[in-house]
Structure formats: C-alpha cells, structure tokens
Amino acid sequence: KQIVNELRGFKFLHFSVSIDGMGKTHDYLRTHSDWDTIVNNVTSALDSNISLEITTVVQSIGLSSQKSLYNWCKEKNLKQKN
C-alpha cells in the first residue's frame, strides 16, 4: 500500500502482472509467490485507478485453473493476455 500511495502522483500508470494459475496452482508455478498477496496488490491497484493487465503462460500444470483465472479477471475487469 505504501508503494501505491507513492505512485498516486502520476497521471497514468499501467502494469502488466504475470499470473499463471489460481491460488495454490499459481504459488506452485511461481515459486516464492503468494496468491493472497497477489490478490491484495491487484485490489489495491484497482482501487487506486491503476491500469492492470494479466499475462499468462499456459502450462500443462496450470491448465486446469485457466478458466477460473479467466473468470476472476473478468470479474475484476482485467484484460488477460496469453
């Protein structure tokens, strides 16, 4: 949240966030990542009118959670690139 507060001085910000699955699938595919932190950071950015897009590397391990990830992005009004 501190970083988001510091970035508020810019007129426009756009970030690309790499997410390869939902929840534990993402944590497994992205070692040292934490899904809950990702969700909190995305929510904070969106609440601060920061533009986000989600990029995804489709892998066999994460394939089963791609539909859930798509729905989550749609719910949050996020663009998703594969």
Side-chain angles (χ1 to χ4, degrees):
K1 290 183 179 183
Q2 179 184 355
I3 293 172
V4 170
N5 287 334
E6 291 176 19
L7 295 174
R8 286 188 178 162
F10 292 93
K11 288 182 181 182
F12 179 77
L13 291 170
H14 179 81
F15 289 100
S16 185
V17 181
S18 184
I19 300 176
D20 298 332
M22 294 285 291
K24 291 181 188 266
T25 302
H26 171 80
D27 292 347
Y28 177 79
L29 292 169
R30 294 278 176 168
T31 306
H32 305 295
S33 184
D34 178 68
W35 177 251
D36 292 331
T37 301
I38 298 287
V39 170
N40 289 335
N41 289 343
V42 165
T43 301
S44 291
L46 293 173
D47 289 347
S48 299
N49 293 320
I50 294 173
S51 172
L52 297 176
E53 71 182 4
I54 304 300
T55 59
T56 303
V57 176
V58 179
Q59 304 175 50
S60 60
I61 295 171
L63 196 56
S64 63
S65 70
Q66 286 300 303
K67 186 172 183 177
S68 297
L69 179 59
Y70 171 81
N71 290 333
W72 182 78
C73 289
K74 190 174 178 180
E75 175 186 303
K76 298 275 187 192
N77 265 345
L78 295 167
K79 293 180 182 177
Q80 186 178 9
K81 289 186 175 182
N82 297 39

